[in-house]
Amino acid sequence: MRYQSWMNTVRKIIAAYNGGEPLTAYLKKYFSANKKHGSKDRKQITGLCYNFYRLGKALPHTAVDKKIITATFLCAHSHNEFLQFHNPEWNNLTSRTLIEKIAFLDFPVNEIFPWENELSSGIDLYPFCCSFLTQPDLFLRIRPGKKNIGVKKLLDAGLSFEMPEENTIALPNATKLDTVIELDLEMVVQDINSQKVLDIFKSEKVIDTGVKITAWDCCAASGGKSILAFDLLQHQIDLTVSDIRESILANLKKRFSAAGINHYHSFVADLSTVDCQLPIAPSQLIICDAPCTGSGTWSRTPEQLYFFKEEMITDYAEKQKKIISNVIPHLQANGLFVYITCSVFKKENEEIVNFIKEKFHLQLIQIELLKGFDKKADTMFTAVFINKTLIAS
């Protein structure tokens, strides 16, 4: 029977998968090696796997099959054929709200995420844990001057979307966009809260945008924050990007080309090494989107929650301190340092802010936790500092 076959396959995948690579990459390899699964089978098996990991650390002693069925019930929004086969009584209740379904099962939802004492201020455990049972939306940021053409293309393609903010598009996560819009040129795939981490440049004139600004995105990754800065600062930016691997910067180069950013500097550096020598002059703006646990994005990648170990919080916090210690000496007098994580842990957020203030005596001018668990989005943390310590009296 197909539904039992799905269960057997999911059980097999869960037994073999160890979290060493993203689940999406593991499943791609699995399906490539097992051609017997048709497109519907692949979609259902994938969904069931993700549902299982959405339970996080809850029900540790429950049999895998029962956890798969429980997760499917909690994550389903309507009639589900897999659930109809394995538990038709529950399937009749799938249209109930998540809160009602949790109460019906007496499900220990707070056990999904067992590190309440490690959470940053302002995060409510119950709604945060509930958010892991819902797939976040796919968000687009509309680039300057591209709103009319971008929105028209989405409408012409018949896509269902919302605009939660003036230049933000929200779509179902699985929406295919490659053939609809020119990604990076017209719109950038960027979480709604990630779009806000440089909002200080909207609300305050903290940098003179009438002249070229020297800016360093020191942990650039795919370059999303650099493109955001490029747009917010009206292109008046002398940009440098760096990251730990050449392959990352090679991918970034392709993305910058698509986005129309052709003049910038780049270099490879491991900023977590002690006293590393960097080929960069002092900058007016340093953006540090620091490597972190990624815990604010785990509703997108629930396998990371499932395999996470608490000691990793301290490991990341120590790495962040090393990176910051190598980077801040390259901040100009009166320059801005923007610290960003997609973490919900205070050791990576507020405690790093205290570290920066105490060690480098920078002046904190903005701190914000951008909650995403209440809007099907990522949770982000950002703190902005100004370097007043080097200004001559």
Side-chain angles (χ1 to χ4, degrees), residues 96-117:
R96 291 190 177 184
T97 67
L98 177 59
I99 305 304
E100 289 173 332
K101 289 190 284 186
I102 289 170
F104 171 73
L105 295 183
D106 194 22
F107 176 73
V109 67
N110 283 5
E111 294 179 12
I112 289 177
F113 185 96
W115 306 290
E116 182 176 11
N117 292 337

Side-chain angles (χ1 to χ4, degrees), residues 250-296:
N251 291 332
L252 178 147
K253 182 178 181 180
K254 294 177 184 176
R255 191 176 188 198
F256 275 10
S257 178
I261 302 176
N262 299 310
H263 302 291
Y264 66 96
H265 317 281
S266 68
F267 63 91
V268 176
D270 182 354
L271 298 175
S272 65
T273 58
V274 177
D275 298 325
C276 61
Q277 300 300 308
L278 302 173
I280 186 169
S283 299
Q284 293 167 273
L285 169 65
I286 297 178
I287 301 169
C288 182
D289 188 1
C292 69
T293 56
S295 44

Side-chain angles (χ1 to χ4, degrees), residues 249-355:
L249 295 179
N251 291 332
L252 178 147
K253 182 178 181 180
K254 294 177 184 176
R255 191 176 188 198
F256 275 10
S257 178
I261 302 176
N262 299 310
H263 302 291
Y264 66 96
H265 317 281
S266 68
F267 63 91
V268 176
D270 182 354
L271 298 175
S272 65
T273 58
V274 177
D275 298 325
C276 61
Q277 300 300 308
L278 302 173
I280 186 169
S283 299
Q284 293 167 273
L285 169 65
I286 297 178
I287 301 169
C288 182
D289 188 1
C292 69
T293 56
S295 44
T297 70
W298 283 348
S299 54
R300 297 187 188 277
T301 54
E303 71 274 16
Q304 294 187 34
L305 166 63
Y306 181 86
F307 287 102
F308 187 75
K309 293 178 172 55
E310 186 173 349
E311 57 266 26
M312 295 170 69
I313 305 172
T314 299
D315 292 343
Y316 273 104
E318 290 305 311
K319 177 181 284 190
Q320 289 150 7
K321 291 175 183 178
K322 291 175 183 176
I323 291 171
I324 288 164
S325 297
N326 280 319
V327 166
I328 286 182
H330 296 273
L331 184 64
Q332 283 186 15
N334 215 32
L336 294 184
F337 179 72
V338 182
Y339 177 73
I340 304 165
T341 75
C342 52
S343 173
V344 297
F345 293 121
K346 59 188 175 186
K347 278 189 176 71
E348 300 183 278
N349 295 340
E350 294 96 330
E351 291 186 18
I352 294 295
V353 168
N354 291 334
F355 168 78

Side-chain angles (χ1 to χ4, degrees), residues 157 177 198 202 342 352:
L177 294 166
L198 299 180
K202 294 180 180 179
C342 52
I352 294 295

